[in-house]
Amino acid sequence: MENELVEQRKQKVKELRSIGVNPFPNDFKPSHDVVGVLSYYSSFSDEEIKNLSDKFSLAGRIIALREFGKSTFFHIMDRTGKIQGYIRRDVIGDEKLNFFKKFIDIGDFIGIRGDLFKTKTGELTINVKDFKLITKSLYPLPEKWHGLKDVETRYRQRYLDLISNPEVKEIFLKRTKIIKLIRDFLNERDFIEVETPILHPIAGGAAAKPFKTYHNALDMELFLRIAPELYLKRLVVGGFERVYELGRTFRNEGVSTQHNPEFTIMELYQSYATYEDLMDLIEELICFVTETLLGALEFDYEDMKVNMKRPWRRINLIESVKSRIGEEILSSDEFLFKKATSLGIAHKGIRGKAIVELFERTIGDEIVDPTFVYGFPIDVSPLARKNDLNPEITDRFELYLAGREVANAFSELNDPVDQKERFLKQLDFKSKGEEVHEMDEDFIGALEHGMPPTAGAGIGVDRLVMLLTNSPSIREVIFFPHLRPE
RNA sequence: GAGCCGUUAGCUCAGGCUGGUAGAGCAUCUGCCUUUUAAGCAGAGGGUCGCAGGUUCGAGUCCUGCACGGCUCACCA
């Protein structure tokens, strides 16, 4: 037998039907929403409210209920907020009060009609003249005071989390706002938003394990994209000089507080710009988003105080590793690899990887305020333009913030011959067991038609949202993070 | 993949070290209650203690395995 609480409610549904009441009607049209009523009428004095004859109808879910003998208080919540309702016998009559007390439960949706008054404690409340059951809920809501805490239930049944934990809803509203602000900022600067394929014949643009899938009619294996990069650059070749894409990307790797198998990335490309121009652009973009969202450029993240005031610090990757670890880093492979191995870094004899990992484990982890780290080794940057003065490094930077990487950007490599050599070099690394960028002949073909000098950047949107909402885990900013089936 | 921690009523949690047939608050049901807001008072019902084995006269409690989740590390952007 099922839970008694559910049984009771199913019984109520039966009884309602037997007396000719539809427990799931669809003909109630609210005239107002909660915030509309509260914000407008909170400006009136108590006396003025008494004299207002306005009537309102509102709809929402009952989230709290306090019943008395001849009256009832409750709160309903709609998309905008919550408001108290008051039902009393001498206003609404015996029959309706009894119906309410018998059939209406916490969790149900109801529509109410009435006018406003203020209670003794000053809470603006709807004096209910009439109500209607809109949707019967068969399950009880989680506990009113502690909310829903169980992390597994929160993720598996996010709707319960959203109903009972207002701060969770707040985080997701902020997420939506952040994404909108990114679009606003870029649209304003003449960037065009585009959509490129998610099903890729070659999983390019990054080094990661892809998800595989299969197309029946074409009889071919496809991969879910690990990055939109190579398609966006094809569009640059096609004349879209300023493009961006904001969307889902997939990587078939471990899950953690920083990684979800599908995540949201924003990539942008701007022709006739350099990676240094993009430092300025990203500074402006993230400051715009932060300040508009939070009203300030300073915020707490976990135990850190982050200050985003411009200009942001810019440090050279190799110079900072040299000064931390030792000058020999560059002159002696032996020293470099020994040092990396001692820190447990699996570099597989790739110099660039060892250097970048050394940086991440030492200096990168300590960075709190936003810092551009520039000058990445060429062997870990196969899509980035070689530096004109030093062919061992590329014109690439990453943005570090609160100990994490938030953005990756570079002047794009637009020399097709060099690009081909870089891909071939990657295949070398692949034979050492590394995950690498795959050869993409079709992309090289696009470059052969000429891509104007361009700089591009990618921002991990989930991680940015984590920072701006002080969320310790990526699962707190993704509605339905992936879990094993129960 | 490894280590640690967790899983007890619809929800939030005690109990576990030291084995003796399961407890609280909220929610539900009954009664009283017309300005409450974690309403109040009185009473009642509600449990495969994650699953499967083992030890024991007896297991929520001890042991082993498994599942799911969390954190850390590894791997990986």
mmCIF file of all heavy atoms in Angstrom, chain A residues 8 84 119-121 144 152 207 251 253 360 405 484, chain B residues 12 27-28 34-37 39 68-69 71 76-77:
data_model
loop_
_atom_site.group_PDB
_atom_site.id
_atom_site.type_symbol
_atom_site.label_atom_id
_atom_site.label_comp_id
_atom_site.label_asym_id
_atom_site.label_seq_id
_atom_site.Cartn_x
_atom_site.Cartn_y
_atom_site.Cartn_z
ATOM 1 N N GLN A 8 -4.669 9.640 1.237
ATOM 2 C CA GLN A 8 -5.667 10.629 1.678
ATOM 3 C C GLN A 8 -5.986 11.609 0.555
ATOM 4 O O GLN A 8 -7.142 11.948 0.316
ATOM 5 C CB GLN A 8 -5.126 11.423 2.873
ATOM 6 C CG GLN A 8 -5.174 10.672 4.190
ATOM 7 C CD GLN A 8 -4.302 11.322 5.259
ATOM 8 O OE1 GLN A 8 -3.717 12.380 5.041
ATOM 9 N NE2 GLN A 8 -4.215 10.683 6.413
ATOM 10 N N GLN A 84 -0.053 36.467 1.498
ATOM 11 C CA GLN A 84 -0.954 35.796 2.429
ATOM 12 C C GLN A 84 -2.409 35.986 2.020
ATOM 13 O O GLN A 84 -2.800 37.044 1.527
ATOM 14 C CB GLN A 84 -0.742 36.344 3.839
ATOM 15 C CG GLN A 84 -1.612 35.657 4.887
ATOM 16 C CD GLN A 84 -1.185 35.981 6.305
ATOM 17 O OE1 GLN A 84 -0.598 35.169 7.001
ATOM 18 N NE2 GLN A 84 -1.485 37.190 6.741
ATOM 19 N N THR A 119 -2.918 43.052 8.183
ATOM 20 C CA THR A 119 -3.135 42.373 9.457
ATOM 21 C C THR A 119 -2.531 43.194 10.577
ATOM 22 O O THR A 119 -1.852 44.191 10.346
ATOM 23 C CB THR A 119 -2.458 40.996 9.459
ATOM 24 O OG1 THR A 119 -1.050 41.198 9.313
ATOM 25 C CG2 THR A 119 -2.974 40.133 8.326
ATOM 26 N N LYS A 120 -2.767 42.749 11.788
ATOM 27 C CA LYS A 120 -2.203 43.404 12.977
ATOM 28 C C LYS A 120 -0.696 43.586 12.847
ATOM 29 O O LYS A 120 -0.127 44.560 13.315
ATOM 30 C CB LYS A 120 -2.448 42.521 14.209
ATOM 31 C CG LYS A 120 -3.773 42.735 14.875
ATOM 32 C CD LYS A 120 -3.843 41.829 16.089
ATOM 33 C CE LYS A 120 -5.233 41.896 16.724
ATOM 34 N NZ LYS A 120 -5.419 40.822 17.721
ATOM 35 N N THR A 121 -0.048 42.593 12.251
ATOM 36 C CA THR A 121 1.414 42.654 12.146
ATOM 37 C C THR A 121 1.850 43.401 10.904
ATOM 38 O O THR A 121 3.032 43.447 10.591
ATOM 39 C CB THR A 121 2.009 41.229 12.130
ATOM 40 O OG1 THR A 121 1.299 40.460 11.150
ATOM 41 C CG2 THR A 121 1.879 40.559 13.467
ATOM 42 N N LYS A 144 8.464 22.683 6.075
ATOM 43 C CA LYS A 144 8.373 24.122 5.815
ATOM 44 C C LYS A 144 9.553 24.917 6.366
ATOM 45 O O LYS A 144 9.924 25.937 5.810
ATOM 46 C CB LYS A 144 7.075 24.674 6.400
ATOM 47 C CG LYS A 144 6.982 24.522 7.895
ATOM 48 C CD LYS A 144 5.648 25.051 8.406
ATOM 49 C CE LYS A 144 5.451 24.662 9.858
ATOM 50 N NZ LYS A 144 4.107 24.979 10.354
ATOM 51 N N GLU A 152 20.730 14.463 -2.827
ATOM 52 C CA GLU A 152 20.336 13.571 -3.913
ATOM 53 C C GLU A 152 18.909 13.877 -4.383
ATOM 54 O O GLU A 152 18.639 13.981 -5.575
ATOM 55 C CB GLU A 152 20.448 12.127 -3.435
ATOM 56 C CG GLU A 152 20.484 11.153 -4.569
ATOM 57 C CD GLU A 152 20.729 9.735 -4.093
ATOM 58 O OE1 GLU A 152 21.252 9.559 -2.966
ATOM 59 O OE2 GLU A 152 20.386 8.818 -4.841
ATOM 60 N N ALA A 207 40.952 19.297 -26.502
ATOM 61 C CA ALA A 207 41.475 17.956 -26.273
ATOM 62 C C ALA A 207 40.660 17.325 -25.151
ATOM 63 O O ALA A 207 40.834 17.677 -23.996
ATOM 64 C CB ALA A 207 42.951 18.024 -25.893
ATOM 65 N N ARG A 251 31.646 16.699 -22.714
ATOM 66 C CA ARG A 251 32.941 16.032 -22.582
ATOM 67 C C ARG A 251 32.759 14.783 -21.731
ATOM 68 O O ARG A 251 32.200 14.843 -20.636
ATOM 69 C CB ARG A 251 33.991 16.972 -21.986
ATOM 70 C CG ARG A 251 34.239 18.132 -22.941
ATOM 71 C CD ARG A 251 35.400 19.022 -22.572
ATOM 72 N NE ARG A 251 35.447 20.152 -23.511
ATOM 73 C CZ ARG A 251 36.278 21.172 -23.410
ATOM 74 N NH1 ARG A 251 37.157 21.216 -22.423
ATOM 75 N NH2 ARG A 251 36.246 22.146 -24.296
ATOM 76 N N GLU A 253 34.018 12.810 -19.571
ATOM 77 C CA GLU A 253 35.048 12.658 -18.557
ATOM 78 C C GLU A 253 34.441 12.646 -17.170
ATOM 79 O O GLU A 253 33.228 12.651 -17.019
ATOM 80 C CB GLU A 253 36.083 13.778 -18.719
ATOM 81 C CG GLU A 253 37.041 13.437 -19.843
ATOM 82 C CD GLU A 253 37.717 14.640 -20.453
ATOM 83 O OE1 GLU A 253 37.587 15.732 -19.887
ATOM 84 O OE2 GLU A 253 38.354 14.474 -21.505
ATOM 85 N N GLU A 360 49.653 25.793 -12.728
ATOM 86 C CA GLU A 360 48.331 25.607 -12.108
ATOM 87 C C GLU A 360 48.432 25.183 -10.658
ATOM 88 O O GLU A 360 47.696 25.665 -9.803
ATOM 89 C CB GLU A 360 47.538 24.555 -12.880
ATOM 90 C CG GLU A 360 46.923 25.096 -14.150
ATOM 91 C CD GLU A 360 46.140 24.035 -14.907
ATOM 92 O OE1 GLU A 360 45.731 23.027 -14.284
ATOM 93 O OE2 GLU A 360 45.956 24.203 -16.126
ATOM 94 N N GLU A 405 40.290 28.569 -13.582
ATOM 95 C CA GLU A 405 40.311 29.172 -14.903
ATOM 96 C C GLU A 405 38.888 29.471 -15.294
ATOM 97 O O GLU A 405 38.019 28.614 -15.182
ATOM 98 C CB GLU A 405 40.824 28.206 -15.947
ATOM 99 C CG GLU A 405 42.086 27.531 -15.642
ATOM 100 C CD GLU A 405 42.138 26.250 -16.446
ATOM 101 O OE1 GLU A 405 41.554 26.221 -17.550
ATOM 102 O OE2 GLU A 405 42.728 25.294 -15.959
ATOM 103 N N ARG A 484 23.884 8.876 -11.465
ATOM 104 C CA ARG A 484 23.551 7.496 -11.842
ATOM 105 C C ARG A 484 22.073 7.261 -11.615
ATOM 106 O O ARG A 484 21.498 7.822 -10.685
ATOM 107 C CB ARG A 484 24.333 6.517 -10.961
ATOM 108 C CG ARG A 484 25.783 6.407 -11.313
ATOM 109 C CD ARG A 484 26.333 5.149 -10.657
ATOM 110 N NE ARG A 484 27.588 4.775 -11.256
ATOM 111 C CZ ARG A 484 28.776 5.263 -10.900
ATOM 112 N NH1 ARG A 484 28.851 6.149 -9.932
ATOM 113 N NH2 ARG A 484 29.865 4.887 -11.498
ATOM 114 P P U B 12 14.999 15.855 4.006
ATOM 115 O OP1 U B 12 15.969 16.516 3.130
ATOM 116 O OP2 U B 12 15.051 14.389 4.223
ATOM 117 O "O5'" U B 12 15.048 16.555 5.439
ATOM 118 C "C5'" U B 12 15.171 17.966 5.533
ATOM 119 C "C4'" U B 12 15.322 18.360 6.972
ATOM 120 O "O4'" U B 12 14.115 18.032 7.693
ATOM 121 C "C3'" U B 12 16.411 17.612 7.735
ATOM 122 O "O3'" U B 12 17.689 18.158 7.473
ATOM 123 C "C2'" U B 12 15.961 17.783 9.180
ATOM 124 O "O2'" U B 12 16.267 19.073 9.645
ATOM 125 C "C1'" U B 12 14.447 17.665 9.029
ATOM 126 N N1 U B 12 13.955 16.293 9.276
ATOM 127 C C2 U B 12 13.710 15.935 10.594
ATOM 128 O O2 U B 12 13.887 16.698 11.521
ATOM 129 N N3 U B 12 13.241 14.656 10.772
ATOM 130 C C4 U B 12 13.004 13.712 9.790
ATOM 131 O O4 U B 12 12.587 12.608 10.096
ATOM 132 C C5 U B 12 13.292 14.156 8.449
ATOM 133 C C6 U B 12 13.744 15.394 8.252
ATOM 134 P P A B 27 2.922 21.571 11.065
ATOM 135 O OP1 A B 27 2.326 22.830 10.560
ATOM 136 O OP2 A B 27 2.400 20.959 12.314
ATOM 137 O "O5'" A B 27 2.855 20.460 9.926
ATOM 138 C "C5'" A B 27 3.088 20.804 8.567
ATOM 139 C "C4'" A B 27 3.008 19.569 7.697
ATOM 140 O "O4'" A B 27 4.015 18.617 8.112
ATOM 141 C "C3'" A B 27 1.702 18.787 7.800
ATOM 142 O "O3'" A B 27 0.678 19.356 7.009
ATOM 143 C "C2'" A B 27 2.141 17.419 7.304
ATOM 144 O "O2'" A B 27 2.307 17.411 5.903
ATOM 145 C "C1'" A B 27 3.515 17.301 7.961
ATOM 146 N N9 A B 27 3.389 16.687 9.290
ATOM 147 C C8 A B 27 3.440 17.303 10.516
ATOM 148 N N7 A B 27 3.268 16.483 11.524
ATOM 149 C C5 A B 27 3.093 15.250 10.928
ATOM 150 C C6 A B 27 2.863 13.964 11.442
ATOM 151 N N6 A B 27 2.771 13.702 12.756
ATOM 152 N N1 A B 27 2.716 12.939 10.572
ATOM 153 C C2 A B 27 2.793 13.198 9.266
ATOM 154 N N3 A B 27 3.013 14.370 8.650
ATOM 155 C C4 A B 27 3.161 15.357 9.548
ATOM 156 P P U B 28 -0.804 19.285 7.504
ATOM 157 O OP1 U B 28 -1.627 19.933 6.453
ATOM 158 O OP2 U B 28 -0.864 19.758 8.893
ATOM 159 O "O5'" U B 28 -1.109 17.725 7.526
ATOM 160 C "C5'" U B 28 -1.200 16.984 6.311
ATOM 161 C "C4'" U B 28 -1.592 15.562 6.610
ATOM 162 O "O4'" U B 28 -0.571 14.939 7.430
ATOM 163 C "C3'" U B 28 -2.864 15.404 7.441
ATOM 164 O "O3'" U B 28 -4.017 15.497 6.623
ATOM 165 C "C2'" U B 28 -2.675 14.016 8.032
ATOM 166 O "O2'" U B 28 -2.950 13.015 7.071
ATOM 167 C "C1'" U B 28 -1.177 14.010 8.322
ATOM 168 N N1 U B 28 -0.861 14.409 9.714
ATOM 169 C C2 U B 28 -1.062 13.476 10.722
ATOM 170 O O2 U B 28 -1.512 12.362 10.522
ATOM 171 N N3 U B 28 -0.726 13.905 11.979
ATOM 172 C C4 U B 28 -0.226 15.141 12.319
ATOM 173 O O4 U B 28 0.028 15.381 13.498
ATOM 174 C C5 U B 28 -0.056 16.052 11.214
ATOM 175 C C6 U B 28 -0.372 15.663 9.984
ATOM 176 P P U B 34 -13.151 30.996 16.790
ATOM 177 O OP1 U B 34 -14.372 31.605 17.314
ATOM 178 O OP2 U B 34 -13.219 29.937 15.758
ATOM 179 O "O5'" U B 34 -12.228 32.159 16.239
ATOM 180 C "C5'" U B 34 -11.053 31.870 15.493
ATOM 181 C "C4'" U B 34 -10.741 33.044 14.608
ATOM 182 O "O4'" U B 34 -11.780 33.176 13.599
ATOM 183 C "C3'" U B 34 -10.688 34.374 15.362
ATOM 184 O "O3'" U B 34 -9.658 35.144 14.782
ATOM 185 C "C2'" U B 34 -12.040 34.997 15.059
ATOM 186 O "O2'" U B 34 -12.034 36.406 15.095
ATOM 187 C "C1'" U B 34 -12.258 34.512 13.625
ATOM 188 N N1 U B 34 -13.662 34.490 13.215
ATOM 189 C C2 U B 34 -14.013 35.334 12.177
ATOM 190 O O2 U B 34 -13.216 36.054 11.612
ATOM 191 N N3 U B 34 -15.340 35.293 11.841
ATOM 192 C C4 U B 34 -16.300 34.520 12.409
ATOM 193 O O4 U B 34 -17.451 34.584 11.998
ATOM 194 C C5 U B 34 -15.855 33.677 13.468
ATOM 195 C C6 U B 34 -14.578 33.699 13.831
ATOM 196 P P U B 35 -8.762 36.127 15.666
ATOM 197 O OP1 U B 35 -7.997 35.331 16.660
ATOM 198 O OP2 U B 35 -9.633 37.240 16.113
ATOM 199 O "O5'" U B 35 -7.739 36.691 14.600
ATOM 200 C "C5'" U B 35 -6.773 35.821 13.988
ATOM 201 C "C4'" U B 35 -5.592 36.655 13.578
ATOM 202 O "O4'" U B 35 -5.966 37.479 12.460
ATOM 203 C "C3'" U B 35 -5.089 37.596 14.679
ATOM 204 O "O3'" U B 35 -3.687 37.681 14.580
ATOM 205 C "C2'" U B 35 -5.722 38.932 14.288
ATOM 206 O "O2'" U B 35 -5.013 40.056 14.730
ATOM 207 C "C1'" U B 35 -5.682 38.831 12.761
ATOM 208 N N1 U B 35 -6.654 39.669 12.050
ATOM 209 C C2 U B 35 -6.156 40.721 11.304
ATOM 210 O O2 U B 35 -4.972 40.968 11.215
ATOM 211 N N3 U B 35 -7.101 41.481 10.658
ATOM 212 C C4 U B 35 -8.458 41.287 10.681
ATOM 213 O O4 U B 35 -9.190 42.048 10.047
ATOM 214 C C5 U B 35 -8.899 40.183 11.490
ATOM 215 C C6 U B 35 -8.002 39.425 12.137
ATOM 216 P P U B 36 -2.702 37.503 15.843
ATOM 217 O OP1 U B 36 -3.505 37.319 17.062
ATOM 218 O OP2 U B 36 -1.705 38.594 15.762
ATOM 219 O "O5'" U B 36 -1.936 36.158 15.520
ATOM 220 C "C5'" U B 36 -2.509 34.895 15.839
ATOM 221 C "C4'" U B 36 -2.199 33.911 14.741
ATOM 222 O "O4'" U B 36 -2.929 34.271 13.547
ATOM 223 C "C3'" U B 36 -0.749 33.918 14.289
ATOM 224 O "O3'" U B 36 0.067 33.166 15.155
ATOM 225 C "C2'" U B 36 -0.858 33.280 12.910
ATOM 226 O "O2'" U B 36 -1.035 31.886 13.009
ATOM 227 C "C1'" U B 36 -2.177 33.891 12.415
ATOM 228 N N1 U B 36 -1.963 35.074 11.566
ATOM 229 C C2 U B 36 -1.543 34.841 10.262
ATOM 230 O O2 U B 36 -1.317 33.727 9.839
ATOM 231 N N3 U B 36 -1.376 35.947 9.501
ATOM 232 C C4 U B 36 -1.591 37.248 9.877
ATOM 233 O O4 U B 36 -1.408 38.157 9.065
ATOM 234 C C5 U B 36 -2.030 37.412 11.234
ATOM 235 C C6 U B 36 -2.198 36.341 12.004
ATOM 236 P P U B 37 1.620 33.613 15.403
ATOM 237 O OP1 U B 37 2.184 32.624 16.321
ATOM 238 O OP2 U B 37 1.651 35.050 15.719
ATOM 239 O "O5'" U B 37 2.286 33.427 13.969
ATOM 240 C "C5'" U B 37 2.475 32.120 13.426
ATOM 241 C "C4'" U B 37 2.964 32.234 12.008
ATOM 242 O "O4'" U B 37 2.028 32.976 11.206
ATOM 243 C "C3'" U B 37 4.269 32.998 11.842
ATOM 244 O "O3'" U B 37 5.342 32.123 12.094
ATOM 245 C "C2'" U B 37 4.211 33.441 10.388
ATOM 246 O "O2'" U B 37 4.606 32.408 9.516
ATOM 247 C "C1'" U B 37 2.706 33.674 10.196
ATOM 248 N N1 U B 37 2.330 35.089 10.269
ATOM 249 C C2 U B 37 2.419 35.837 9.107
ATOM 250 O O2 U B 37 2.800 35.358 8.047
ATOM 251 N N3 U B 37 2.059 37.143 9.227
ATOM 252 C C4 U B 37 1.619 37.768 10.367
ATOM 253 O O4 U B 37 1.322 38.957 10.333
ATOM 254 C C5 U B 37 1.563 36.924 11.533
ATOM 255 C C6 U B 37 1.909 35.638 11.441
ATOM 256 P P A B 39 3.745 28.006 11.045
ATOM 257 O OP1 A B 39 3.190 26.682 10.758
ATOM 258 O OP2 A B 39 3.562 29.120 10.109
ATOM 259 O "O5'" A B 39 3.260 28.574 12.460
ATOM 260 C "C5'" A B 39 2.140 28.084 13.113
ATOM 261 C "C4'" A B 39 1.970 28.895 14.339
ATOM 262 O "O4'" A B 39 0.802 29.743 14.170
ATOM 263 C "C3'" A B 39 1.680 28.094 15.600
ATOM 264 O "O3'" A B 39 2.873 27.607 16.209
ATOM 265 C "C2'" A B 39 0.981 29.142 16.448
ATOM 266 O "O2'" A B 39 1.892 30.082 16.971
ATOM 267 C "C1'" A B 39 0.115 29.838 15.387
ATOM 268 N N9 A B 39 -1.175 29.158 15.215
ATOM 269 C C8 A B 39 -1.596 28.345 14.202
ATOM 270 N N7 A B 39 -2.803 27.880 14.340
ATOM 271 C C5 A B 39 -3.222 28.418 15.540
ATOM 272 C C6 A B 39 -4.414 28.315 16.263
ATOM 273 N N6 A B 39 -5.461 27.607 15.855
ATOM 274 N N1 A B 39 -4.503 28.994 17.447
ATOM 275 C C2 A B 39 -3.447 29.708 17.844
ATOM 276 N N3 A B 39 -2.262 29.883 17.243
ATOM 277 C C4 A B 39 -2.228 29.215 16.099
ATOM 278 P P C B 68 25.490 2.617 -8.383
ATOM 279 O OP1 C B 68 25.223 2.771 -9.821
ATOM 280 O OP2 C B 68 26.877 2.477 -7.897
ATOM 281 O "O5'" C B 68 24.821 3.834 -7.617
ATOM 282 C "C5'" C B 68 23.465 4.162 -7.855
ATOM 283 C "C4'" C B 68 22.960 5.099 -6.789
ATOM 284 O "O4'" C B 68 22.961 4.416 -5.505
ATOM 285 C "C3'" C B 68 23.833 6.324 -6.507
ATOM 286 O "O3'" C B 68 23.667 7.337 -7.484
ATOM 287 C "C2'" C B 68 23.334 6.718 -5.127
ATOM 288 O "O2'" C B 68 22.053 7.306 -5.205
ATOM 289 C "C1'" C B 68 23.212 5.352 -4.464
ATOM 290 N N1 C B 68 24.472 4.989 -3.777
ATOM 291 C C2 C B 68 24.664 5.455 -2.470
ATOM 292 O O2 C B 68 23.771 6.135 -1.942
ATOM 293 N N3 C B 68 25.808 5.153 -1.820
ATOM 294 C C4 C B 68 26.752 4.426 -2.427
ATOM 295 N N4 C B 68 27.865 4.158 -1.754
ATOM 296 C C5 C B 68 26.585 3.939 -3.760
ATOM 297 C C6 C B 68 25.440 4.245 -4.392
ATOM 298 P P G B 69 24.935 8.287 -7.828
ATOM 299 O OP1 G B 69 24.533 9.091 -8.992
ATOM 300 O OP2 G B 69 26.193 7.512 -7.860
ATOM 301 O "O5'" G B 69 24.998 9.227 -6.544
ATOM 302 C "C5'" G B 69 23.926 10.109 -6.260
ATOM 303 C "C4'" G B 69 24.104 10.718 -4.901
ATOM 304 O "O4'" G B 69 24.184 9.673 -3.897
ATOM 305 C "C3'" G B 69 25.378 11.505 -4.679
ATOM 306 O "O3'" G B 69 25.301 12.796 -5.254
ATOM 307 C "C2'" G B 69 25.450 11.540 -3.157
ATOM 308 O "O2'" G B 69 24.508 12.454 -2.644
ATOM 309 C "C1'" G B 69 24.993 10.120 -2.819
ATOM 310 N N9 G B 69 26.124 9.207 -2.654
ATOM 311 C C8 G B 69 26.560 8.217 -3.510
ATOM 312 N N7 G B 69 27.603 7.570 -3.054
ATOM 313 C C5 G B 69 27.883 8.167 -1.831
ATOM 314 C C6 G B 69 28.894 7.903 -0.874
ATOM 315 O O6 G B 69 29.783 7.047 -0.914
ATOM 316 N N1 G B 69 28.810 8.759 0.218
ATOM 317 C C2 G B 69 27.866 9.740 0.378
ATOM 318 N N2 G B 69 27.940 10.462 1.490
ATOM 319 N N3 G B 69 26.907 9.998 -0.503
ATOM 320 C C4 G B 69 26.977 9.180 -1.576
ATOM 321 P P C B 71 30.316 17.290 -3.599
ATOM 322 O OP1 C B 71 30.085 18.712 -3.924
ATOM 323 O OP2 C B 71 30.517 16.298 -4.675
ATOM 324 O "O5'" C B 71 31.568 17.182 -2.605
ATOM 325 C "C5'" C B 71 31.637 17.976 -1.437
ATOM 326 C "C4'" C B 71 32.765 17.499 -0.548
ATOM 327 O "O4'" C B 71 32.502 16.129 -0.138
ATOM 328 C "C3'" C B 71 34.130 17.402 -1.233
ATOM 329 O "O3'" C B 71 34.787 18.657 -1.290
ATOM 330 C "C2'" C B 71 34.850 16.406 -0.334
ATOM 331 O "O2'" C B 71 35.277 17.024 0.871
ATOM 332 C "C1'" C B 71 33.726 15.426 -0.012
ATOM 333 N N1 C B 71 33.705 14.261 -0.938
ATOM 334 C C2 C B 71 34.583 13.208 -0.688
ATOM 335 O O2 C B 71 35.345 13.277 0.284
ATOM 336 N N3 C B 71 34.577 12.128 -1.511
ATOM 337 C C4 C B 71 33.738 12.090 -2.551
ATOM 338 N N4 C B 71 33.767 11.006 -3.331
ATOM 339 C C5 C B 71 32.837 13.161 -2.840
ATOM 340 C C6 C B 71 32.857 14.225 -2.009
ATOM 341 P P C B 76 45.408 13.224 -17.368
ATOM 342 O OP1 C B 76 46.027 12.800 -18.629
ATOM 343 O OP2 C B 76 46.153 14.062 -16.419
ATOM 344 O "O5'" C B 76 44.049 13.973 -17.708
ATOM 345 C "C5'" C B 76 43.097 13.387 -18.592
ATOM 346 C "C4'" C B 76 41.777 14.101 -18.468
ATOM 347 O "O4'" C B 76 41.406 14.216 -17.071
ATOM 348 C "C3'" C B 76 41.746 15.547 -18.954
ATOM 349 O "O3'" C B 76 41.614 15.622 -20.348
ATOM 350 C "C2'" C B 76 40.536 16.097 -18.216
ATOM 351 O "O2'" C B 76 39.339 15.675 -18.822
ATOM 352 C "C1'" C B 76 40.667 15.402 -16.858
ATOM 353 N N1 C B 76 41.370 16.247 -15.872
ATOM 354 C C2 C B 76 40.677 17.318 -15.300
ATOM 355 O O2 C B 76 39.505 17.517 -15.626
ATOM 356 N N3 C B 76 41.316 18.101 -14.401
ATOM 357 C C4 C B 76 42.582 17.858 -14.077
ATOM 358 N N4 C B 76 43.165 18.655 -13.187
ATOM 359 C C5 C B 76 43.316 16.781 -14.661
ATOM 360 C C6 C B 76 42.670 16.009 -15.547
ATOM 361 P P A B 77 42.138 16.883 -21.148
ATOM 362 O OP1 A B 77 41.692 16.759 -22.542
ATOM 363 O OP2 A B 77 43.555 17.031 -20.858
ATOM 364 O "O5'" A B 77 41.389 18.123 -20.481
ATOM 365 C "C5'" A B 77 40.383 18.869 -21.153
ATOM 366 C "C4'" A B 77 39.456 19.474 -20.124
ATOM 367 O "O4'" A B 77 40.239 19.971 -19.031
ATOM 368 C "C3'" A B 77 38.643 20.669 -20.648
ATOM 369 O "O3'" A B 77 37.307 20.556 -20.107
ATOM 370 C "C2'" A B 77 39.301 21.856 -19.994
ATOM 371 O "O2'" A B 77 38.443 22.917 -19.709
ATOM 372 C "C1'" A B 77 39.795 21.250 -18.679
ATOM 373 N N9 A B 77 40.901 21.987 -18.084
ATOM 374 C C8 A B 77 41.420 21.750 -16.860
ATOM 375 N N7 A B 77 42.404 22.549 -16.523
ATOM 376 C C5 A B 77 42.513 23.383 -17.603
ATOM 377 C C6 A B 77 43.366 24.462 -17.858
ATOM 378 N N6 A B 77 44.305 24.886 -17.009
ATOM 379 N N1 A B 77 43.244 25.087 -19.022
ATOM 380 C C2 A B 77 42.308 24.643 -19.886
ATOM 381 N N3 A B 77 41.466 23.648 -19.761
ATOM 382 C C4 A B 77 41.607 23.047 -18.582
#
